[in-house]
Amino acid sequence: RNADAPVTLDNCADEPIHIPGSIQPHGAILVFGSAAQLVSWSVNAPALLQWPAPPVLLAAVDELGLDAAVVEKIRACLQELEDGEAPASMLETMIGAQDFDCIVHGHEGLVIVEYECREREADSVATFALKAHTAIERLKRQKSVAALLASAVDQVRQITGFDRVMAYRFRQDDSGEVVAEARLDTLDPYLGRRYPASDIPAQARRLYVINTLRMIGDMGYTPVPMAGRAGAAPLDMSYCVLRSVSPIHVEYLRNMGVQASMSISIVISGKLWGMIACHHMAPRRVPYAIRMACDVMAQVLAASVQSLETRERAALTERAAEVRTRVMQSLLHVDDVAAGLTACAAEICNSLGAGALVVMHGGRVVVHGPVPADVVAAAVASMQSEDTDVVERSARRDWPAALQQDCGKWVGLLGLRYDAAANGWLLALREEQVELVRWGGKPDKEIAHGPLGPRLTPRGSFAEWRETVVDQAEPWEPTRLLIARQLLAEMHRASITRHEQNDRARA
Ligand code: BLA
């Protein structure tokens, strides 16, 4: 994308959001070079910091009349920068009657000083530490990922007062789902909604891994441009709190009636696992200290999610072992294998995360689940052309061409051939994702949109998501595939034993 070309729906993944060249107006930025000289500033700085005259380029930090504590912090930051990066630190300062949170960090050889206006009397830092502590204690008590996220959105809503707080979780294909929500009663529920990967483009995800919190205080804001040396490279604002955000995203939120937003990354093993996303229907800013409390909480949340996910996977494999035992009993001790396996069908489905199961054995076919007869026939027929013991299909295009329509909405299939001699197959089936997820919003509330049209609305997002997953079931997850292979291995052994017993009986 040419730097001057406008951002559109088609090129928004190329928008360099870390160098917007402007900030949000609820504060001002000063930038210093390695000799503590002023190299750049936001054009609102003179007014906000009450300077008698506009600043002179390359003015020394001592000549600007800044608070002594701030100057000291800038010098300390410069020192730290000599070893690379200098993470943010904050001090409170007052200019005239205005309170500021002054946040200083070093990046790529520059010291960036952000004066963020504080509108409300914030509680003392000690109160925040206490609130964060309480929230974290609650989080640590949760026994499942679902309960953990439900608790997290409640805590964040209590601490920040946002109208809506959601846990937004990314799936294998980078699409997202709202998996927990705390909201004002009068708002539409968003729980369960799906969004395409493109709603949070790749460069934004990358940025959100390294900088885990962002806030837009007022969607109606007018960006404040930066000033400084003509032709200088634009300031890298990756770690700035005042960074002006993508106009596309602002339009998206405004279309939803959102006037302020904040989101916090949930990063696990260096990957963006999800976000806590907050909306407010009126402009709203949350003081830096509260944001940091939320950020700490999100880190504890990430660690807890990781350990609970490990535990949940272990529980799943343990339950699968029990299912295996019962399946073995049917194979070894029941005369009618198809009937025996069908008796375990609900457990097998559960264990594989399938919606239905077809059992084939010696020409007999038994179905567990709401699968129409013609679909069963198609699934059975499609096994004829397979000569492996594990068949994995997640999409319509994975089926033999002639049967792609006949499989209906049951496009996901995991076929396990447990007894080749008896043409014995277990066919676990999954429905198309769109069959399982339906639009839950009220259409009349979703019609407002801005210049870029209806794509940037929840409804537009849902339609886009549908497009990307049409004819696809949820892919079989690595844990489920492992469980399937373990089940199959034991079934092979049992089948061999069974054939040997039959041979002996016949001899
Ligand atoms: C950023 N998109 C974001 C962010 C969220 C979402 C949470 C982080 C910024 C923030 O905290 O507000 C997406 N927000 C959602 C979703 C929900 C929500 C899905 O509340 C669901 C309830 N966005 C689009 C499209 C494009 C796009 C179509 O929908 C591009 C074509 C771009 N989204 C976009 C960009 C950013 C973004 C560029 C980065 C904003 C920034 O940090 O500058």
Side-chain angles (χ1 to χ4, degrees):
R1 190 177 68 92
N2 175 320
D4 299 325
V7 188
T8 67
L9 287 173
D10 300 320
N11 64 17
C12 73
D14 300 329
E15 183 186 358
I17 61 173
H18 63 301
I19 47 169
S22 59
I23 62 170
Q24 299 181 50
H26 60 274
I29 290 196
L30 304 178
V31 186
F32 295 92
S34 56
Q37 79 284 24
L38 183 68
V39 296
S40 174
W41 59 90
S42 57
V43 300
N44 63 347
L48 222 69
L49 306 181
Q50 301 188 9
W51 288 345
V56 177
L57 189 64
L58 305 183
V61 68
D62 316 281
E63 294 164 16
L64 297 169
L66 304 179
D67 198 84
V70 174
V71 175
E72 199 176 313
K73 212 171 218 10
I74 293 170
R75 293 207 179 279
C77 189
L78 273 172
Q79 198 106 71
E80 208 182 340
L81 253 187
E82 287 175 8
D83 305 325
E85 299 287 277
S89 65
M90 187 266 268
L91 85 172
E92 295 170 24
T93 186
M94 209 171 171
I95 300 174
Q98 177 68 56
D99 277 313
F100 288 96
D101 287 331
C102 182
I103 302 132
V104 180
H105 77 278
H107 185 53
E108 298 193 328
L110 298 172
V111 171
I112 302 169
V113 183
E114 295 175 270
Y115 283 85
E116 181 179 345
C117 299
R118 202 160 66 196
E119 49 183 4
R120 290 175 299 158
E121 188 44 54
D123 293 354
S124 70
V125 171
T127 314
F128 290 124
L130 221 59
K131 281 185 177 168
H133 185 261
T134 309
I136 286 168
E137 281 307 312
R138 291 236 166 81
L139 286 187
K140 289 203 303 210
R141 281 210 295 271
Q142 306 305 322
K143 299 278 185 286
S144 69
V145 174
L148 186 64
L149 295 170
S151 167
V153 295
D154 270 343
Q155 302 296 317
V156 170
R157 181 147 187 252
Q158 270 178 38
I159 296 176
T160 62
F162 277 104
D163 287 338
R164 184 199 298 278
V165 179
M166 296 168 282
Y168 185 76
R169 177 182 185 166
F170 297 117
R171 305 172 68 87
Q172 296 182 58
D173 60 358
D174 280 347
S175 69
E177 178 178 3
V178 177
V179 291
E181 180 179 42
R183 65 180 157 83
L184 212 60
D185 292 339
T186 50
L187 296 177
D188 251 13
Y190 282 6
L191 192 65
R193 284 197 187 173
R194 298 284 187 94
Y195 299 87
S198 54
D199 277 18
I200 309 173
Q203 87 279 28
R205 285 168 205 256
R206 277 195 303 275
L207 179 58
Y208 298 168
V209 170
I210 59 168
N211 181 354
T212 50
L213 194 145
R214 59 224 64 92
M215 177 177 76
I216 310 169
D218 181 353
M219 288 312 149
Y221 79 92
T222 307
V224 179
M226 297 294 291
R229 194 169 18 198
L235 179 66
D236 182 341
M237 296 193 192
S238 293
Y239 295 97
C240 289
V241 299
L242 293 171
R243 178 177 64 84
S244 187
V245 299
S246 165
I248 299 242
H249 183 55
V250 169
E251 182 173 331
Y252 181 79
L253 289 170
R254 291 180 81 153
N255 288 345
M256 266 193 268
V258 173
Q259 289 302 321
S261 95
M262 181 177 102
S263 64
I264 321 158
S265 314
I266 306 171
V267 179
I268 297 181
S269 307
K271 266 199 71 184
L272 197 60
W273 181 92
M275 294 205 267
I276 301 283
C278 313
H279 292 171
H280 209 63
M281 300 300 142
R284 181 179 194 83
R285 292 200 327 255
V286 174
Y288 185 76
I290 305 193
R291 303 205 301 272
M292 290 307 102
C294 293
D295 203 38
V296 169
M297 212 182 103
Q299 289 179 32
V300 174
L301 178 63
S304 309
V305 166
Q306 184 171 26
S307 73
L308 282 173
E309 278 197 328
T310 308
R311 227 186 291 171
E312 284 178 7
R313 268 196 300 275
L316 205 63
T317 8
E318 250 168 63
R319 275 201 304 279
E322 291 162 20
V323 175
R324 268 201 313 273
T325 310
R326 270 190 291 283
V327 168
M328 258 358 83
Q329 281 158 358
S330 342
L331 277 181
L332 291 173
H333 307 301
V334 178
D335 287 336
D336 183 346
V337 173
L341 289 175
T342 309
C344 312
E347 292 165 274
I348 297 174
C349 279
N350 213 318
S351 176
L352 296 177
L357 189 77
V358 174
V359 182
M360 298 165 59
H361 194 94
R364 265 190 79 197
V365 175
V366 189
V367 184
H368 169 87
V371 190
D374 52 336
V375 173
V376 173
V380 167
S382 74
M383 290 301 117
Q384 242 81 77
S385 53
E386 300 288 354
D387 61 353
T388 54
D389 287 343
V390 179
V391 174
E392 191 187 334
R393 300 180 194 148
S394 302
R396 196 176 299 285
R397 60 170 181 275
D398 298 337
W399 286 67
L403 296 166
Q404 284 182 1
Q405 290 319 310
D406 301 335
C407 63
K409 61 188 184 183
W410 295 90
V411 296
L413 178 145
L414 184 59
L416 305 175
R417 181 166 62 184
Y418 61 89
D419 187 343
N423 196 25
W425 286 91
L426 289 184
L427 308 180
L429 297 172
R430 279 185 179 177
E431 287 177 274
E432 274 179 312
Q433 297 181 57
V434 285
E435 286 295 330
L436 300 169
V437 183
R438 292 185 182 283
W439 173 249
K442 296 181 195 141
D444 48 335
K445 280 201 185 166
E446 310 283 356
I447 47 171
H449 58 77
L452 289 173
R455 162 65 187 91
L456 292 174
T457 61
R459 189 83 219 211
S461 281
F462 186 75
E464 176 77 16
W465 173 77
R466 265 188 82 108
E467 283 293 294
T468 62
V469 295
V470 73
D471 287 337
Q472 292 174 47
E474 196 70 52
W476 300 93
E477 303 82 358
T479 311
R480 305 288 189 177
L481 288 171
L482 181 70
I483 288 171
R485 285 178 193 283
Q486 287 170 339
L487 176 66
L488 185 60
E490 290 222 24
M491 290 179 82
H492 276 156
R493 277 196 286 281
S495 299
I496 291 168
T497 309
R498 192 180 173 88
H499 285 301
E500 283 169 358
Q501 283 167 354
N502 286 348
D503 291 347
R504 266 200 299 280
R506 242 176 268 131

